[in-house]
Amino acid sequence: MLDDRVNRLANTLLGLGLKKGDRCAIFFNNRAEWGDCYMGMGRAGIIAVPINFRLTPPEVEYIVNDSTPKAFIYEEELASVIEQIKPNVKVEHFICLGKGQGSDLDYDECLAKASAGVPDVQVNEDDIYFMPYTSGTTGFPKGVCVSNKDLVMHLLVFFKEHGQLDRRDRMLVLMPLFHSNSSWYTIGLLMVGGTAVIHHSGGFNPEEVLQVIDEEKITYSSVVPTMLVMILNQPEEIKEKYNVSTLKRFIVGSAPLHTKTKEDTIAYFKGAELFEGYGSSETGCVTVLYSEDQLRKKRSIGMAVTGKEIRLLDENGKEVPQGEVGELYSRGWGVPVTKYWNNPEATKEAFRGEWVSAGDMARVDEEGFYFLEDRKKDMIITGGENLYPTEVENIIATHPAVSEVVVIGLPDEMWGEKVHAVLTLKEGQKVSEQELKDFVKPQLAGYKRPKSYDIRAELPKSATGKIARRLIRDLYK
C-alpha cells in the first residue's frame, strides 16, 4: 500500500535525524519508488532534490554541493556515480535501493524497520515541497524552490485545462521522473486516485510503448515531440498491430510540434485529444493549445490558462504592442518558484515584482494566442531536455587545441534540435571530430554532447569583437 510506504520513508528519514526543511537527494531511473520518496519527503517536510540520472559525476557533484542534502537515496544501477562523488561531497547518510557500498544503508531494510504511522510533523502550504534543478544560463543549474501550495494550485489548473483527470484514468509515465513534467503529473494523478504505469528508463522503444498502451488500457500520457516522431515512424504493420483506442488525450510539451508531426498524430490516434502547452519549472503551466485549435493555430503554444496572466515586455520592462516580440512574463495561480535556491542574483533576474520569466521570447496575435519566437540566452531543447550552450562551451574550451567555440541548436526532425559546436583552433593545432567527442564524453551527459562539430578558420564577430551567435546560426540556414 502506497500510504504505508510513504509513512515508512518519512519516518526513516526523520529517524536518521533529518528534520523539516532539510534536503534529501533522489537518484533513480524511472521506478515506483519515486512515489515513496516524493510523497514521503513531503509528509515529513523534507525537501526532495530530484537528480537527473543522465548526468555525469561532476554534474551530480555540483548539485549535491549546492543543495547540501543530509541524505542521498540512490539505486544500485547508478552506484558507480555515487562512488566517484563521495570523496567530494558532505552527505551524512547514503541509502541504496539494491546492493549498496560499504556502510550505505539498505533502502528496503530501512522501510521494513520504520513505523507505518503518520509522522508528527506540521507541514504548511508555504513550505518548500521539492527542488528540481534547471539548466543554468551561466553554465550551472539552479534549484527551483516549489512550495506545497503552488504545486497544488498548478495541478488544479492542469486538471481543469486538460480534460478533468480522475480516478478512472491510467497514465503512462514516459518522461523521466526527475523532470518537473512527469513528477507534477504523476503526483497529481495519485492525488485523485488514478493509476500511474511507470515506464522504464532503458531507452525509448516506440513499439513497446504502443504495446503498453494496448495492454494497460492507457487513457493519457505526457510526451515530448521526439517520442511522437519515433512512434509515427514505425512501419504501418506495427502501428496497426496495437489497439490505442483507449487513449483519450496526449499532452505535448518542451517544444512546439512540427506541423507534419501534429497532423500525423491526429490521424493515427483518432480517439485522442491533443493538447500542447508552455510552462517551466519556474512558471508552472502558463498556456494551453486545445485540441480544436491544433490545425488552426499551427506552431502556437496556445492561450493563457485559467488563473494566469501573461505580459510580453521589452528590455525596459514596457509591454510590447500586439504582434511584436517580447520576453514572456507570467503571474497567477500555481507559479511554483518564489526564489532559486542559494542564488539571489538569478532570482532577481527572473522577477519583475510578481511577474516571473523563464527567459523565453514570444508574440501574441489578435485572438490572444501566443507563439514562441526565440529563447533568451540561446537555450537549446533537444529530445525534450533543456540545455544552455554556455555549459557545453565551457567544457569544449578546455581542450588544449581549441581557441574559440560556440554551441548552437540545429533543426532536427527526430530530436527537435541537435547540439552542434562551431570552433576555431589555436595556431598550429589539429584535432579530429572523434577526438572532441571522446574529450567531452566523461564530462557531459549524453544529451548535452554535440552531435556534430565544424572547425572554421574564424568565427563571425560584432563590431565590438564579440562572437556573433546569431550570424553563426545564419551560416546553417
Side-chain angles (χ1 to χ4, degrees):
M1 183 177 176
L2 178 60
D3 192 57
D4 181 274
R5 293 180 65 84
V6 165
N7 286 335
R8 289 179 184 275
L9 188 281
N11 288 316
T12 291
L13 296 177
L14 294 169
L16 291 173
L18 277 76
K19 60 185 183 300
K20 178 180 171 180
D22 286 338
R23 277 78 58 208
C24 180
I26 313 167
F27 196 43
F28 288 158
N29 289 286
N30 270 13
R31 56 187 309 140
E33 285 82 3
W34 277 103
D36 301 349
C37 292
Y38 275 139
M39 304 186 84
M41 291 176 197
R43 191 161 290 182
I46 293 166
I47 301 169
V49 181
I51 298 180
N52 184 341
F53 59 78
R54 298 189 181 103
L55 298 183
T56 63
E59 293 168 319
V60 174
E61 185 179 307
Y62 174 84
I63 292 174
V64 173
N65 285 329
D66 188 66
S67 59
T68 61
K70 284 191 175 180
F72 193 123
I73 302 176
Y74 69 97
E75 67 167 290
E76 180 181 356
E77 187 174 325
L78 302 170
S80 62
V81 175
I82 304 304
E83 185 177 5
Q84 293 180 65
I85 71 169
K86 269 187 177 181
N88 305 315
V89 299
K90 293 181 179 179
V91 176
E92 294 180 15
H93 306 284
F94 284 94
I95 305 171
C96 180
L97 179 57
K99 185 179 179 181
Q101 305 172 34
S103 60
D104 291 356
L105 299 170
D106 183 285
Y107 182 92
D108 289 324
E109 287 182 7
C110 286
L111 265 62
K113 293 176 182 177
S115 167
V118 178
D120 184 19
V121 178
Q122 179 63 47
V123 179
N124 302 313
E125 63 178 19
D126 291 325
D127 293 335
I128 299 174
Y129 175 71
F130 78 147
M131 198 165 72
Y133 270 72
T134 67
S135 296
T137 59
T138 58
F140 298 105
K142 306 184 294 289
V144 178
C145 300
V146 180
S147 74
N148 290 297
K149 177 181 69 177
D150 284 323
L151 177 65
V152 171
M153 290 300 296
H154 163 75
L155 292 172
L156 291 175
V157 169
F158 169 78
F159 289 152
K160 186 268 178 189
E161 299 287 6
H162 294 90
Q164 302 291 340
L165 275 65
D166 60 35
R167 61 181 176 80
R168 295 166 294 183
D169 277 298
R170 299 174 63 82
M171 174 187 181
L172 177 56
V173 181
L174 292 170
M175 299 275 281
L177 279 161
F178 64 77
H179 198 286
S180 293
N181 181 301
S182 266
S183 58
W184 285 344
Y185 302 155
T186 303
I187 292 165
L189 185 69
L190 296 176
M191 283 171 53
V192 298
T195 300
V197 179
I198 299 174
H199 201 54
H200 62 76
S201 307
F204 185 83
N205 183 318
E207 183 177 359
E208 185 180 13
V209 169
L210 293 176
Q211 183 178 355
V212 173
I213 292 172
D214 184 351
E215 294 178 353
E216 296 290 341
K217 305 296 183 273
I218 298 300
T219 63
Y220 91 103
S221 187
S222 177
V223 298
V224 297
T226 303
M227 295 175 178
L228 286 179
V229 170
M230 294 176 73
I231 289 172
L232 296 169
N233 284 346
Q234 290 294 289
E236 288 302 316
E237 59 267 25
I238 295 296
K239 290 189 286 186
E240 293 173 1
K241 183 178 176 181
Y242 301 101
N243 181 0
V244 295
S245 63
T246 58
L247 198 69
K248 294 190 295 186
R249 61 186 69 83
F250 258 134
I251 300 160
V252 185
S254 297
L257 279 174
H258 290 293
T259 302
K260 180 67 162 56
T261 305
K262 181 178 296 191
E263 292 171 344
D264 290 349
T265 299
I266 293 170
Y268 177 57
F269 295 99
K270 295 181 176 63
E273 292 184 283
L274 180 63
F275 296 86
E276 288 183 89
Y278 166 80
S280 68
S281 298
E282 290 89 343
T283 61
C285 185
V286 175
T287 68
V288 62
L289 183 67
Y290 296 108
S291 182
E292 58 267 27
D293 294 316
Q294 288 292 333
L295 298 180
R296 189 173 74 88
K297 293 288 183 178
K298 296 173 183 178
R299 306 297 290 169
S300 172
I301 56 173
M303 306 177 77
V305 298
T306 302
K308 279 282 192 355
E309 296 176 79
I310 295 174
R311 297 175 71 189
L312 302 181
L313 307 180
D314 64 19
E315 292 182 356
N316 298 314
K318 294 183 179 180
E319 202 151 1
V320 301
Q322 177 203 306
E324 293 190 15
V325 176
E327 185 172 353
L328 192 155
Y329 282 80
S330 64
R331 71 175 180 181
W333 297 348
V335 174
V337 65
T338 55
K339 65 177 181 179
Y340 291 113
W341 178 262
N342 198 29
N343 199 332
E345 290 184 5
T347 302
K348 182 179 179 181
E349 184 179 349
F351 279 87
R352 288 183 182 269
E354 297 177 297
W355 299 85
V356 63
S357 170
D360 292 304
M361 310 300 286
R363 61 179 172 85
V364 62
D365 70 10
E366 67 283 355
E367 294 183 72
F369 285 84
Y370 288 86
F371 297 78
L372 288 183
E373 290 297 320
D374 202 352
R375 285 189 294 278
K376 189 179 180 182
K377 297 181 181 174
D378 307 302
M379 186 175 74
I380 298 168
I381 301 179
T382 179
E385 295 285 358
N386 299 347
L387 69 95
Y388 284 90
T390 305
E391 181 179 5
V392 183
E393 290 164 356
N394 287 344
I395 297 298
I396 298 173
T398 63
H399 190 284
V402 173
S403 175
E404 295 179 312
V405 58
V406 171
V407 169
I408 60 174
L410 296 182
D412 186 89
E413 184 178 354
M414 178 64 71
W415 303 109
E417 289 181 296
K418 71 172 184 177
V419 184
H420 178 72
V422 188
L423 54 98
T424 61
L425 300 180
K426 295 175 182 176
E427 188 174 351
Q429 296 291 322
K430 293 183 179 181
V431 67
S432 68
E433 180 170 310
Q434 189 58 51
E435 286 178 275
L436 291 167
K437 288 181 176 180
D438 293 341
F439 178 76
V440 303
K441 186 174 182 180
Q443 303 180 76
L444 290 170
Y447 70 93
K448 298 179 183 180
R449 299 173 203 151
K451 298 292 188 293
S452 54
Y453 291 82
D454 186 5
I455 299 174
R456 290 179 170 262
E458 59 181 2
L459 299 181
K461 305 283 178 59
S462 68
T464 60
K466 185 178 179 181
I467 295 175
R469 193 182 296 271
R470 186 174 295 278
L471 294 179
I472 292 173
R473 285 202 200 97
D474 290 344
L475 296 173
Y476 298 91
K477 288 182 178 179

